[in-house]
Amino acid sequence: MAETPHKAGFVSIVGKPNVGKSTLMNALVGEKLSIITSKAQTTRHRIMGILNGDNFQMVYSDTPGIIKPQYALHESMMGFVRTSLEDADVILFVTDIYEKHDEEEVIKRLQHAEVPVLVLINKIDQATVQDVKDKMIYWQEKMNPTEVLPISALHSTNTEHLFERLMHYLPEHPAYFPKDELTDKPERFFVSEIIREKILLNYKKEIPYSCEVVIEEFKEEEEIIRVRAEISVERKSQKGIVIGHKGEMLKKVGTQARIDMEEFFQKKIFLDLYVRVNENWRTDQKLLRRFGYSE
């Protein structure tokens, strides 16, 4: 009996902010790898979730939502998007049932893609059957993609079928990464993402987008992991808001982050959080490099 050939490849998940790209990747990989909150632009780096099987390896990259760059930070985020389109074997363009059709820039790029493009209409659990049919017809006519699939990433509706379609398009290739790897990111990256998620959940307006988290220390001992993290803000006034009255807000963020980290690492966590002002870090190339935004 002939051996099943091994398949491996890169699947890029692209689309506008807030359409459910991170939720989809987590549904496909089965781990909470990407930040999921209801604020736009929460994913700033490419994160690779790696799904392994006996005869396949699927490497997902979850890219920042496609936006017109306003800061050097946004330019760098868009750089991650371009790179992930270039090395993709399959592209998943995620849109949702509420989508306003103004992604001309993305559509132009995807129409010239030389690999299969699957348009995913997400959040179908919030729509009527007719709405879903209308959207499917719209995207088929607009882009003429390889396939259009309706899904609900949150409820994992149709994600099994999506996986089967991805397996169909995945090229024959040996594994790119060791089979026991879940992601290409180091542990301290997930620590900073967990803290950033809590900042997004606890602060309003521009505060979350003016914050960056840097892990100064990550020490794993037998019984405990010791983490020292710096939250960078752009202005002194923001530092006061992040810390809060008598340090209450920072304490709340720290407690929530520690609980999630203990679940993620299955180990006791000691977390030391502090806030520093780094003026205009979003436009400072040197600081952006330090925060990992330059490839």
Side-chain angles (χ1 to χ4, degrees):
M1 198 172 126
E3 230 181 273
T4 311
H6 190 280
K7 289 185 154 197
F10 292 82
V11 178
S12 285
I13 304 174
V14 294
K16 280 170 65 183
N18 250 2
V19 290
K21 297 182 298 298
S22 296
T23 311
L24 174 65
M25 194 177 84
N26 290 332
L28 292 168
V29 181
E31 288 276 328
K32 196 177 173 193
L33 296 176
S34 265
I35 288 192
I36 305 166
T37 69
S38 61
K39 287 191 172 78
Q41 282 175 53
T42 46
T43 307
R44 292 181 184 169
H45 298 261
R46 288 180 66 198
I47 296 174
M48 292 192 185
I50 302 169
L51 189 62
N52 293 300
D54 291 339
N55 60 344
F56 73 91
Q57 181 176 75
M58 231 175 255
V59 186
Y60 295 102
S61 62
D62 170 32
T63 58
I66 291 163
I67 44 172
K68 287 188 169 65
Q70 281 174 299
Y71 301 98
L73 164 64
H74 286 168
E75 291 283 1
S76 171
M77 286 162 73
M78 291 306 95
F80 290 119
V81 173
R82 281 189 291 275
T83 311
S84 78
L85 287 181
E86 281 158 20
D87 65 20
D89 292 297
V90 184
I91 296 168
L92 299 181
F93 175 52
V94 187
T95 172
D96 72 29
I97 208 73
Y98 304 111
E99 193 72 274
K100 293 179 181 72
H101 312 308
D102 54 2
E103 308 89 339
E104 291 307 323
E105 215 177 308
V106 195
I107 289 165
K108 266 182 227 151
R109 265 189 217 159
L110 296 181
Q111 280 172 332
H112 297 296
E114 291 169 12
V115 296
V117 175
L118 278 61
V119 172
L120 306 182
I121 301 167
N122 194 19
K123 305 182 186 177
I124 58 165
D125 49 301
Q126 300 169 22
T128 65
V129 174
Q130 193 53 51
D131 285 344
V132 175
K133 278 182 183 166
D134 291 346
K135 285 279 156 136
M136 288 179 75
I137 292 164
Y138 171 86
W139 284 111
Q140 193 60 55
E141 288 173 355
K142 176 107 178 156
M143 270 179 69
N144 192 27
T146 317
E147 293 190 31
V148 179
L149 296 174
I151 61 159
S152 168
L154 189 63
H155 300 288
S156 296
T157 310
N158 252 358
T159 49
E160 196 56 48
H161 177 59
L162 170 59
F163 173 75
E164 286 164 14
R165 300 315 296 145
L166 287 171
M167 279 300 288
H168 173 76
Y169 293 116
L170 213 61
E172 284 184 23
H173 198 280
Y176 288 93
F177 298 95
K179 283 289 186 96
D180 57 355
E181 279 192 29
L182 258 179
T183 173
D184 72 332
K185 296 287 181 193
E187 288 169 325
R188 57 173 59 208
F189 174 79
F190 289 104
V191 169
S192 68
E193 286 290 273
I194 288 168
I195 297 167
R196 206 158 65 81
E197 179 184 39
K198 302 311 167 195
I199 291 167
L200 281 155
L201 291 170
N202 283 291
Y203 302 97
K204 293 181 171 70
K205 295 186 178 163
E206 93 283 2
I207 294 291
Y209 305 109
S210 303
C211 290
E212 185 53 77
V213 180
V214 177
I215 306 306
E216 298 285 345
E217 191 177 69
F218 183 94
K219 272 190 185 161
E220 189 158 4
E221 297 167 15
E222 206 172 323
E223 301 290 324
I224 196 168
I225 298 172
R226 296 181 190 278
V227 177
R228 188 161 171 270
E230 171 199 295
I231 298 172
S232 273
V233 293
E234 290 189 295
R235 295 193 298 279
K236 205 173 174 184
S237 59
Q238 294 168 343
K239 182 177 178 176
I241 295 168
V242 172
I243 293 170
H245 181 61
K246 293 183 178 175
E248 281 174 9
M249 285 304 288
L250 192 62
K251 191 179 173 187
K252 187 181 177 188
V253 166
T255 303
Q256 290 176 356
R258 183 180 50 75
I259 290 165
D260 270 21
M261 284 176 207
E262 288 180 342
E263 196 183 324
F264 191 89
F265 292 106
Q266 293 295 297
K267 217 171 195 180
K268 196 166 166 52
I269 302 281
F270 174 79
L271 176 61
D272 179 19
L273 267 186
Y274 68 100
V275 186
R276 177 185 287 175
V277 178
N278 277 311
E279 284 188 18
N280 301 321
W281 68 263
R282 289 190 288 186
T283 53
D284 186 324
Q285 290 297 339
K286 207 167 102 186
L287 280 172
L288 285 170
R289 274 197 296 279
R290 182 185 166 218
F291 296 154
Y293 288 109
S294 295
E295 295 207 313

